[in-house]
Amino acid sequence: MKEKILNLELIKNLIQIILLTLTFSVAYTLIVYGNFNFIEIARDKSNQKTKEDIREVSIEEAQVYFDKAIIIDARSEKDFSNGHIPGAINISVKNFDNYIEKIFELPQDTLLIIYCEGIHCNLSHQLAERLKTFGFKNLWIMYEGIEGWLKRNLPVKR
Amino acid sequence: MKLNMKIILFEIIRLILAFIFVLSSIEKLKDPYAFALSVDAYQVFPDWIVNLSTLLIPWLELFIAFGLIFKFKLRANLILFGSLMIMFTLLVVIAMIKGLDIECGCYGESSSKVGLVKLVENFIIILSCLILYYHIHVQNNKS
């Protein structure tokens, strides 16, 4: 007899696998982490790490220091050329090694204001962490990124 | 001889698919918080779905991989494999439409960015899964 592509036995197996996974993952998480609220803890950890020595600032606060600071776009070269904050330079964290020479040219005591896409983007944090290892201490993250910039109808350079 | 080659090829596909999920699940289990942030970065799900995904997906991937390696409930595991891959691919498409500059979160720290390359990679994996499923279905009918 020809077997159907999806039959009752198969559905039973699917349910068994899902239930087994659910039981195992719940037990493991309870024993190891004791908490199911991963995202809340992850956000807290991420904020804590940033707060240690990298400051997060709003666009308005950052703008006050624009003439004294170097503005860095942490996004890819493609995104940078599609539109960036006027005066910003590009250090794509994904191709960080290509920018080493440029990084050595940056004055260590100058304020660096870093941004990426928006509040969910992690590239500015990654770049700030890497720049920290090069001895830069004055690092700010403009957390609303280019999305926040565009929302305020501020100019972009293409 | 020709048949043997075909069987060997299907066995290799099965093991490659299993390897992909073993790698993916271990990376996620190593740092569930980083995985939660990766899921959240897609800006699609409420927090409770992000938490549920972080809880379930790595273990589901690991169990599916074991199922594929030890040929345990093979067809059911392939269906789950394909469903997860389709879901991941849809998320990549959504991220691309939204123009998000994010990592896919597929293999923990060594994840690549969402984009066309990731999309093609996922399509190849889904296609391999479909071919393997069809092969097993035909084999079952023969026996």
Side-chain angles (χ1 to χ4, degrees), chain A residues 3 5 16 38 94 123, chain B residues 73 75 101 103 133 141:
Chain A
E3 202 179 359
I5 201 104
Q16 275 173 359
F38 294 101
K94 290 285 161 196
L123 295 176
Chain B
K73 301 187 191 295
R75 287 175 64 196
D101 183 26
E103 284 177 4
Y133 185 88
N141 278 342

Side-chain angles (χ1 to χ4, degrees), chain A residues 2-7 10 13-14 16-18 20-22 24-26 28-29 33 36-43 45-46 75-76 79 94 117 120 123 126 147, chain B residues 29-30 32-34 36-37 40-41 43 47 50-52 54-56 59-60 63-64 72-73 75-77 79-80 99-103 111 113 133-134 137 140-141:
Chain A
K2 270 205 167 186
E3 202 179 359
K4 280 183 193 167
I5 201 104
L6 197 74
N7 56 30
L10 201 53
N13 286 343
L14 287 171
Q16 275 173 359
I17 295 168
I18 292 168
L20 183 73
T21 309
L22 189 66
F24 201 86
S25 57
V26 167
Y28 174 84
T29 307
Y33 300 103
F36 295 109
N37 201 351
F38 294 101
I39 189 61
E40 206 63 44
I41 297 168
R43 281 182 194 134
K45 276 188 171 191
S46 171
R75 300 173 302 155
S76 66
D79 291 333
K94 290 285 161 196
E117 201 63 38
H120 291 277
L123 295 176
Q126 287 174 22
E147 281 175 6
Chain B
L29 285 170
K30 265 186 352 197
Y33 301 118
L37 286 175
D40 189 47
Q43 304 170 32
D47 285 1
V50 175
N51 286 331
L52 190 66
T54 312
L55 175 78
L56 267 181
W59 285 106
L60 192 56
F63 281 127
I64 291 170
F72 174 71
K73 301 187 191 295
R75 287 175 64 196
N77 277 310
I79 289 178
L80 287 172
L100 298 178
D101 183 26
I102 56 170
E103 284 177 4
S111 297
K113 275 178 82 171
Y133 185 88
Y134 183 72
H137 178 68
N140 283 357
N141 278 342

Side-chain angles (χ1 to χ4, degrees), chain B residues 108-133:
Chain B
E109 278 182 1
S110 37
S111 297
S112 54
K113 275 178 82 171
V114 293
L116 208 61
V117 177
K118 186 88 250 160
L119 213 57
V120 173
E121 193 184 299
N122 282 6
F123 274 125
I124 294 170
I125 295 172
I126 293 168
L127 193 69
S128 311
C129 177
L130 282 174
I131 293 170
L132 189 59
Y133 185 88

Side-chain angles (χ1 to χ4, degrees), chain B residues 11 13-21 61-79 81 129 132 136:
Chain B
E11 292 294 293
I13 292 177
R14 179 174 61 81
L15 292 174
I16 290 174
L17 294 183
F19 175 74
I20 291 169
F21 263 25
E61 285 179 342
L62 196 63
F63 281 127
I64 291 170
F66 284 149
L68 292 180
I69 292 168
F70 300 110
K71 294 186 177 180
F72 174 71
K73 301 187 191 295
L74 200 50
R75 287 175 64 196
N77 277 310
L78 276 173
I79 289 178
F81 185 103
C129 177
L132 189 59
I136 292 162

Side-chain angles (χ1 to χ4, degrees), chain A residues 55-59 61 114-121 124-125 140-146 148 152:
Chain A
R55 228 183 118 199
E56 289 194 349
V57 292
S58 67
I59 289 176
E61 194 178 347
I114 309 165
Y115 72 91
C116 55
E117 201 63 38
I119 51 165
H120 291 277
C121 166
S124 3
H125 293 83
W140 285 10
I141 288 171
M142 204 168 73
Y143 61 89
E144 290 156 290
I146 195 80
R152 288 166 175 78

Side-chain angles (χ1 to χ4, degrees), chain A:
Chain A
M1 203 178 94
K2 270 205 167 186
E3 202 179 359
K4 280 183 193 167
I5 201 104
L6 197 74
N7 56 30
L8 201 65
E9 183 63 25
L10 201 53
I11 294 167
K12 219 171 83 183
N13 286 343
L14 287 171
I15 295 168
Q16 275 173 359
I17 295 168
I18 292 168
L19 284 179
L20 183 73
T21 309
L22 189 66
T23 315
F24 201 86
S25 57
V26 167
Y28 174 84
T29 307
L30 272 177
I31 293 165
V32 178
Y33 300 103
N35 196 324
F36 295 109
N37 201 351
F38 294 101
I39 189 61
E40 206 63 44
I41 297 168
R43 281 182 194 134
D44 283 350
K45 276 188 171 191
S46 171
N47 289 340
Q48 193 58 43
K49 206 179 163 194
T50 306
K51 272 177 198 162
E52 278 167 16
D53 38 20
I54 301 163
R55 228 183 118 199
E56 289 194 349
V57 292
S58 67
I59 289 176
E60 287 73 19
E61 194 178 347
Q63 273 180 307
V64 177
Y65 294 89
F66 264 18
D67 52 345
K68 295 174 198 145
I70 296 172
I71 310 151
I72 304 175
D73 189 321
R75 300 173 302 155
S76 66
E77 292 83 357
K78 193 180 153 214
D79 291 333
F80 180 78
S81 58
N82 281 344
H84 58 267
I85 294 174
I89 60 164
N90 185 211
I91 298 180
S92 166
V93 73
K94 290 285 161 196
N95 300 312
F96 189 78
D97 294 344
N98 297 345
Y99 293 89
I100 301 288
E101 258 180 62
K102 203 172 177 179
I103 290 162
F104 278 120
E105 284 167 14
L106 296 173
Q108 290 257 340
D109 50 350
T110 307
L111 170 65
L112 305 182
I113 300 176
I114 309 165
Y115 72 91
C116 55
E117 201 63 38
I119 51 165
H120 291 277
C121 166
N122 204 31
L123 295 176
S124 3
H125 293 83
Q126 287 174 22
L127 182 62
E129 287 294 335
R130 297 198 77 166
L131 288 174
K132 220 169 75 181
T133 64
F134 280 74
F136 293 98
K137 288 186 178 74
N138 238 343
L139 298 158
W140 285 10
I141 288 171
M142 204 168 73
Y143 61 89
E144 290 156 290
I146 195 80
E147 281 175 6
W149 188 265
L150 292 170
K151 264 186 203 161
R152 288 166 175 78
N153 286 322
L154 292 164
V156 287
K157 197 177 170 195
R158 284 174 214 281

